[in-house]
Amino acid sequence: MKDSERYDVLIVGAGASGLVCAQAAAARGLRTAVLERNDIPAKKIYATGNGRCNFTNEGARFFSETVGIMSRCFGIEAIMEEGRAYPRSLEASSVAEALVSAAKRAGAEVFCNAHAVKAALESAGTVQKNGQGFMVECEDGRVFSAQALVLASGGKAGIQLGCYGEGYRFAQALGHSVIKPIPALDGLVCEEDLSALHGVRVRTKASLLEAPEAEAAYEELLAEGSGEVQFTKDAISGICVMDLSRCVRREDGKRFVLSLDLFPEISGEELVRLFLSRKQAFGCGLSWLVPEKLKEYLHTRISASLHGPAAMAAAAKDLRFNITGTRGWKTAQTTCGGVPLGEVDSESFASLLVPGLYITGELLDYDGPCGGFNLDWAIHSGYAAGCSIAAE
């Protein structure tokens, strides 16, 4: 084993949370190192928000603080669109480059291709607590040690961007528990054949229901939202559906049903009357109210003998799909699950189990809806941890 390079703060992960933490700690005089397994830091940020990086939201808990941190510490000025905050350049690269630049300017050292790995203690590839702080060994044999260790390596969402969830193993090795991670903010895959609906977009109210195992009435409403739904060959997507995906945990034989209300603005009785009047006036009830592909699909979902206004209205108000899961880690925007929030201090993000250890960002069991909530959390937790370490 090589002799270790000693720092005050060692941060595993150069994403948003890790880089914000590094800037906060280094700007306060701490010798800080960031270890990143990818060949460039902030790799996931470049792909955030369709390349525009929506970094907080007016509805987010730390909105004002986050906007202030991004302006004051990183030179990123916010421009608002429908409650979402973007960099004024409208380029995610601006945020990525600003975070890296500010961390380095404050004095932090960022090491890329520094793959921290976990193996047995006393062999290369360990993250361990030693008598005088923490030590991290990298795959290439480099060794780093510090008084404080920050696990900011993110979850598993965006696995093609180098997000493998290794921080969960590091946290467990140091005594923390982990709630099983699942993909979140992702499209939902269903049992039904969607090929006839590929490319269809429609505004709906989407409801996620937990169904009993036996064939019976569906029971519990888990979550709901409204907005545009998009059909692909293998999944149902759109922001309102992606937000519902956070609830799809299939342990213990749970079954889930997605119900789409294609006419959320009117009641079922009003819809029947609308279909009747349209049939009398134009010879059709549903045509031209929904995309043609969707109209034809609805006809295939109900018996030909039941194509009357009442049956069509019932189907249009409660179009159901049996959910088998999410599309997976490549398309998920964030991770649901991780280190329980009860195992870290809610203000400093210091571990309540291991002195000197901090856990931030997506590695924790926090997941917000689409629209900047998760980056808001990453920025807040990283900044809070960096400031707290410096205050010790």
Side-chain angles (χ1 to χ4, degrees):
M1 181 185 298
K2 299 179 181 179
D3 293 336
S4 64
E5 185 75 16
R6 188 88 187 156
Y7 291 86
D8 297 315
V9 185
L10 188 57
I11 302 168
V12 179
S17 194
L19 289 169
V20 170
C21 182
Q23 191 279 337
R28 288 161 176 77
L30 299 182
R31 189 173 185 225
T32 303
V34 186
L35 306 182
E36 171 56 50
R37 67 169 291 159
N38 285 318
D39 56 353
I40 61 170
K43 189 170 183 177
K44 189 175 179 180
I45 295 176
Y46 286 93
T48 301
N50 292 321
R52 300 201 307 163
C53 193
N54 168 206
F55 61 85
T56 187
N57 189 293
E58 286 180 347
R61 180 179 176 185
F62 307 106
F63 169 71
S64 296
E65 173 195 318
T66 297
V67 169
I69 290 170
M70 294 299 282
S71 174
R72 183 177 66 254
C73 301
F74 301 99
I76 294 295
E77 301 301 327
I79 184 170
M80 304 301 298
E81 292 184 7
E82 299 180 342
R84 297 178 173 89
Y86 295 89
R88 183 161 288 278
S89 67
L90 294 178
E91 292 182 339
S93 58
S94 296
V95 175
E97 291 163 9
L99 294 185
V100 176
S101 175
K104 290 181 176 179
R105 190 168 58 251
E109 297 179 60
V110 180
F111 297 91
C112 292
N113 297 308
H115 181 192
V117 294
K118 180 189 173 184
L121 295 175
E122 299 183 359
S123 68
T126 66
V127 177
Q128 66 185 69
K129 182 78 167 65
N130 61 38
Q132 298 178 332
F134 298 85
M135 180 175 65
V136 174
E137 295 178 38
C138 294
E139 190 174 49
D140 61 6
R142 283 180 289 177
V143 182
F144 300 83
S145 60
Q147 283 298 113
L149 174 64
V150 181
L151 296 180
S153 51
K156 297 177 69 176
I159 196 167
Q160 73 278 17
L161 300 173
C163 304
Y164 296 100
E166 293 172 318
Y168 301 126
R169 295 194 295 274
F170 301 163
Q172 288 176 315
L174 291 163
H176 279 275
S177 59
V178 172
I179 298 170
K180 182 181 178 180
I182 63 170
L185 302 188
D186 195 13
L188 295 178
V189 179
C190 62
E191 292 177 358
E192 291 77 9
D193 181 5
L194 299 178
S195 57
L197 291 175
H198 179 60
V200 169
R201 295 170 178 258
V202 63
R203 295 195 65 81
T204 75
K205 177 182 177 181
S207 302
L208 185 69
L209 309 165
E210 184 178 332
E213 275 299 294
E215 291 296 331
Y218 298 114
E219 295 180 342
E220 183 181 357
L221 173 64
L222 299 179
E224 59 186 9
S226 298
E228 185 181 76
V229 165
Q230 304 165 20
F231 293 91
T232 68
K233 291 179 179 179
D234 62 351
I236 305 172
S237 190
I239 289 176
C240 63
V241 171
M242 292 166 67
D243 284 340
L244 300 182
S245 70
R246 300 152 59 203
C247 300
V248 179
R249 284 189 171 275
R250 296 187 59 80
E251 294 92 342
D252 303 322
K254 290 182 179 179
R255 294 178 59 243
F256 298 93
V257 171
L258 178 67
S259 170
L260 301 182
D261 182 351
L262 306 180
F263 294 86
E265 71 279 8
I266 59 178
S267 70
E269 291 181 355
E270 291 172 320
L271 190 58
V272 172
R273 289 195 292 270
L274 175 64
F275 286 172
L276 280 171
S277 66
R278 288 176 61 83
K279 193 168 185 62
Q280 292 171 355
F282 308 111
C284 61
L286 192 58
S287 293
W288 314 311
L289 292 177
V290 298
E292 185 67 15
K293 284 183 178 180
L294 184 54
K295 184 199 78 170
E296 295 300 326
Y297 181 80
L298 280 169
H299 284 159
T300 66
R301 288 288 299 265
I302 60 178
S303 170
S305 63
L306 298 176
H307 281 183
M312 291 303 296
K317 291 289 289 182
D318 186 16
L319 179 58
R320 295 192 170 200
F321 299 90
N322 294 294
I323 302 304
T324 60
T326 58
R327 297 185 68 184
W329 291 115
K330 284 188 177 182
T331 53
Q333 293 185 16
T334 194
T335 304
C336 176
V339 176
L341 293 177
E343 294 184 6
V344 299
D345 182 85
S346 61
E347 295 185 1
S348 68
F349 295 88
S351 166
L352 298 177
L353 306 180
V354 184
L357 176 65
Y358 294 75
I359 305 174
T360 68
E362 195 177 334
L363 198 55
L364 291 164
D365 181 31
Y366 169 88
D367 59 283
C370 293
F373 291 84
N374 293 290
L375 263 178
D376 178 85
W377 171 260
I379 292 165
H380 165 74
S381 58
Y383 188 78
C387 293
S388 178
I389 295 168
E392 288 294 325

